[in-house]
Amino acid sequence: KQEVTQIPAALSVPEGENLVLNCSFTDSAIYNLQWFRQDPGKGLTSLLLIQSSQREQTSGRLNASLDKSSGRSTLYIAASQPGDSATYLCAVSPGSEKLVFGKGTKLTVNP
Amino acid sequence: DTGVSQDPRHKITKRGQNVTFRCDPISEHNRLYWYRQTLGQGPEFLTYFQNEAQLEKSRLLSDRFSAERPKGSFSTLEIQRTEQGDSAMYLCASSKRGGTSGLYNEQFFGPGTRLTVL
């Protein structure tokens, strides 16, 4: 059974700092990995999708990497801003169907 | 097209009542998924459709839950005889087959329906 773990559960940083969020998964046989952002009481916003054959994806200040063999992914956020405050969720797709999610990392960026 | 929509956004009901939620996917997406999220947890998969066919159901989907997707467009999720443990955010997502891989790639989520069972 695929399990996804996100560390840390919560993170508080000053504005402008670069930061890394971690995601690990137990079964390396995945089709893709997706990072999401969730604001309190809201739905999920897709940030980045990494296919199993890819090593990383970039969008603006965000960079996500994938190491299938070690079962790890990282989300790097450059020059953090207060508007980046949210919960960040990592999800893997064991097949091309459902997503299996971690519990998320709650990020607070202080002005 | 503005993305996945869900209705209602909030529902408060009494234990034992039936509730129904609706999801409208992105128009060209033929896969539709339902997830449930409780406080402090990540979303958990419930079921998914490809066009009108329901292809997989999680063991979380007890016999009180039923989902439909008539004509392969919008979907409904009904919960019968609600229990307090059903209180959660119900999320809908959609996707389409993409790229040379032919895999169903990125899932796009709606705003969710928050259910409170008193």
Side-chain angles (χ1 to χ4, degrees):
Chain A
K1 176 188 174 185
Q2 178 73 267
E3 293 183 356
V4 179
T5 303
Q6 291 188 247
I7 294 173
L11 181 64
S12 181
V13 300
E15 182 176 2
E17 189 162 300
N18 302 326
L19 59 100
V20 174
L21 306 180
N22 296 293
C23 171
S24 62
F25 46 95
T26 54
D27 188 343
S28 62
I30 63 170
Y31 277 91
N32 59 48
L33 182 145
Q34 204 167 344
W35 281 94
F36 295 89
R37 168 189 172 133
Q38 186 173 34
D39 293 289
K42 306 293 186 182
L44 278 63
T45 300
S46 179
L47 298 174
L48 290 164
L49 171 76
I50 310 178
Q51 302 283 8
S52 61
S53 59
Q54 298 174 323
R55 298 282 294 184
E56 65 177 335
Q57 282 286 343
T58 298
S59 176
R61 294 182 294 109
L62 305 179
N63 176 275
S65 68
L66 174 63
D67 184 343
K68 273 184 58 178
S69 60
S70 67
R72 293 184 180 182
S73 176
T74 61
L75 179 67
Y76 174 83
I77 303 177
S80 58
Q81 304 170 357
D84 295 331
S85 298
T87 295
Y88 290 80
L89 292 158
C90 167
V92 298
S93 177
S96 59
E97 305 91 23
K98 64 187 176 187
L99 292 173
V100 178
F101 285 85
K103 293 184 178 181
T105 294
K106 184 176 181 180
L107 173 66
T108 303
V109 181
N110 301 301
Chain B
D1 185 73
T2 57
V4 179
S5 61
Q6 293 186 245
D7 184 70
R9 297 291 305 278
H10 303 273
K11 179 70 176 178
I12 300 174
T13 191
K14 292 183 179 179
R15 188 178 52 165
Q17 297 295 304
N18 299 341
V19 294
T20 300
F21 310 140
R22 175 178 172 130
C23 171
D24 288 88
I26 295 171
S27 58
E28 67 268 28
H29 288 190
N30 63 340
R31 279 205 175 173
L32 185 150
Y33 311 80
W34 285 99
Y35 294 83
R36 180 174 70 184
Q37 185 179 26
T38 53
L39 201 61
Q41 303 295 313
E44 295 175 290
F45 170 79
L46 293 178
T47 188
Y48 87 97
F49 293 84
Q50 181 166 309
N51 300 313
E52 66 275 10
Q54 188 173 18
L55 296 186
E56 185 176 352
K57 293 193 291 186
S58 162
R59 278 175 282 184
L60 291 176
L61 215 65
S62 75
D63 56 6
R64 295 185 298 106
F65 288 70
S66 63
E68 295 182 341
R69 192 181 182 199
K71 302 179 183 178
S73 56
F74 70 91
S75 175
T76 58
L77 178 67
E78 180 183 17
I79 309 174
Q80 297 181 326
R81 306 181 302 281
T82 53
E83 301 172 356
Q84 289 184 324
D86 297 330
S87 295
M89 174 80 89
Y90 290 83
L91 294 162
C92 176
S94 69
S95 70
K96 66 177 181 179
R97 191 187 297 273
T100 56
S101 69
L103 297 175
Y104 285 82
N105 293 325
E106 197 168 5
Q107 291 190 22
F108 295 89
F109 281 75
T113 294
R114 179 164 296 283
L115 172 66
T116 302
V117 181
L118 302 176

